[in-house]
mmCIF file of all heavy atoms in Angstrom:
data_model
loop_
_atom_site.group_PDB
_atom_site.id
_atom_site.type_symbol
_atom_site.label_atom_id
_atom_site.label_comp_id
_atom_site.label_asym_id
_atom_site.label_seq_id
_atom_site.Cartn_x
_atom_site.Cartn_y
_atom_site.Cartn_z
ATOM 1 N N LYS A 5 21.944 18.013 23.537
ATOM 2 C CA LYS A 5 22.151 18.383 22.140
ATOM 3 C C LYS A 5 20.813 18.782 21.523
ATOM 4 O O LYS A 5 19.806 18.095 21.686
ATOM 5 C CB LYS A 5 22.749 17.207 21.371
ATOM 6 C CG LYS A 5 23.113 17.539 19.955
ATOM 7 C CD LYS A 5 23.749 16.342 19.271
ATOM 8 C CE LYS A 5 24.021 16.685 17.822
ATOM 9 N NZ LYS A 5 24.562 15.539 17.100
ATOM 10 N N TRP A 6 20.815 19.914 20.826
ATOM 11 C CA TRP A 6 19.597 20.410 20.190
ATOM 12 C C TRP A 6 19.328 19.624 18.921
ATOM 13 O O TRP A 6 20.217 19.431 18.091
ATOM 14 C CB TRP A 6 19.741 21.902 19.874
ATOM 15 C CG TRP A 6 18.543 22.467 19.179
ATOM 16 C CD1 TRP A 6 17.286 22.577 19.680
ATOM 17 C CD2 TRP A 6 18.479 22.994 17.860
ATOM 18 N NE1 TRP A 6 16.437 23.151 18.764
ATOM 19 C CE2 TRP A 6 17.158 23.420 17.627
ATOM 20 C CE3 TRP A 6 19.413 23.159 16.847
ATOM 21 C CZ2 TRP A 6 16.747 23.983 16.432
ATOM 22 C CZ3 TRP A 6 18.997 23.732 15.661
ATOM 23 C CH2 TRP A 6 17.679 24.129 15.463
ATOM 24 N N ASP A 7 18.110 19.147 18.777
ATOM 25 C CA ASP A 7 17.713 18.387 17.597
ATOM 26 C C ASP A 7 16.569 19.122 16.915
ATOM 27 O O ASP A 7 15.446 19.143 17.430
ATOM 28 C CB ASP A 7 17.281 16.978 18.010
ATOM 29 C CG ASP A 7 16.886 16.119 16.827
ATOM 30 O OD1 ASP A 7 17.054 16.547 15.666
ATOM 31 O OD2 ASP A 7 16.406 15.001 17.066
ATOM 32 N N PRO A 8 16.808 19.750 15.761
ATOM 33 C CA PRO A 8 15.753 20.523 15.099
ATOM 34 C C PRO A 8 14.559 19.671 14.682
ATOM 35 O O PRO A 8 13.434 20.157 14.623
ATOM 36 C CB PRO A 8 16.454 21.141 13.889
ATOM 37 C CG PRO A 8 17.688 20.353 13.680
ATOM 38 C CD PRO A 8 18.058 19.779 15.013
ATOM 39 N N LEU A 9 14.759 18.383 14.412
ATOM 40 C CA LEU A 9 13.638 17.530 14.022
ATOM 41 C C LEU A 9 12.657 17.329 15.176
ATOM 42 O O LEU A 9 11.453 17.233 14.968
ATOM 43 C CB LEU A 9 14.145 16.186 13.506
ATOM 44 C CG LEU A 9 14.930 16.258 12.197
ATOM 45 C CD1 LEU A 9 15.431 14.876 11.805
ATOM 46 C CD2 LEU A 9 14.091 16.851 11.089
ATOM 47 N N THR A 10 13.180 17.283 16.391
ATOM 48 C CA THR A 10 12.305 17.178 17.559
ATOM 49 C C THR A 10 11.427 18.416 17.668
ATOM 50 O O THR A 10 10.241 18.331 17.980
ATOM 51 C CB THR A 10 13.138 16.993 18.837
ATOM 52 O OG1 THR A 10 13.957 15.846 18.680
ATOM 53 C CG2 THR A 10 12.239 16.813 20.054
ATOM 54 N N GLU A 11 12.017 19.578 17.392
ATOM 55 C CA GLU A 11 11.251 20.829 17.406
ATOM 56 C C GLU A 11 10.144 20.780 16.356
ATOM 57 O O GLU A 11 9.010 21.196 16.612
ATOM 58 C CB GLU A 11 12.175 22.027 17.130
ATOM 59 C CG GLU A 11 13.265 22.221 18.151
ATOM 60 C CD GLU A 11 12.757 22.819 19.446
ATOM 61 O OE1 GLU A 11 11.775 23.573 19.418
ATOM 62 O OE2 GLU A 11 13.356 22.532 20.486
ATOM 63 N N LEU A 12 10.446 20.273 15.159
ATOM 64 C CA LEU A 12 9.445 20.186 14.096
ATOM 65 C C LEU A 12 8.324 19.224 14.471
ATOM 66 O O LEU A 12 7.156 19.480 14.184
ATOM 67 C CB LEU A 12 10.094 19.764 12.779
ATOM 68 C CG LEU A 12 10.970 20.818 12.106
ATOM 69 C CD1 LEU A 12 11.676 20.222 10.896
ATOM 70 C CD2 LEU A 12 10.139 22.022 11.695
ATOM 71 N N GLU A 13 8.669 18.096 15.095
ATOM 72 C CA GLU A 13 7.649 17.154 15.551
ATOM 73 C C GLU A 13 6.722 17.811 16.564
ATOM 74 O O GLU A 13 5.508 17.621 16.522
ATOM 75 C CB GLU A 13 8.293 15.921 16.182
ATOM 76 C CG GLU A 13 8.790 14.912 15.208
ATOM 77 C CD GLU A 13 9.345 13.675 15.895
ATOM 78 O OE1 GLU A 13 9.306 13.588 17.141
ATOM 79 O OE2 GLU A 13 9.828 12.799 15.176
#
Side-chain angles (χ1 to χ4, degrees):
K5 185 178 176 183
W6 178 65
D7 181 7
L9 293 178
T10 303
E11 298 284 330
L12 288 174
E13 280 183 2

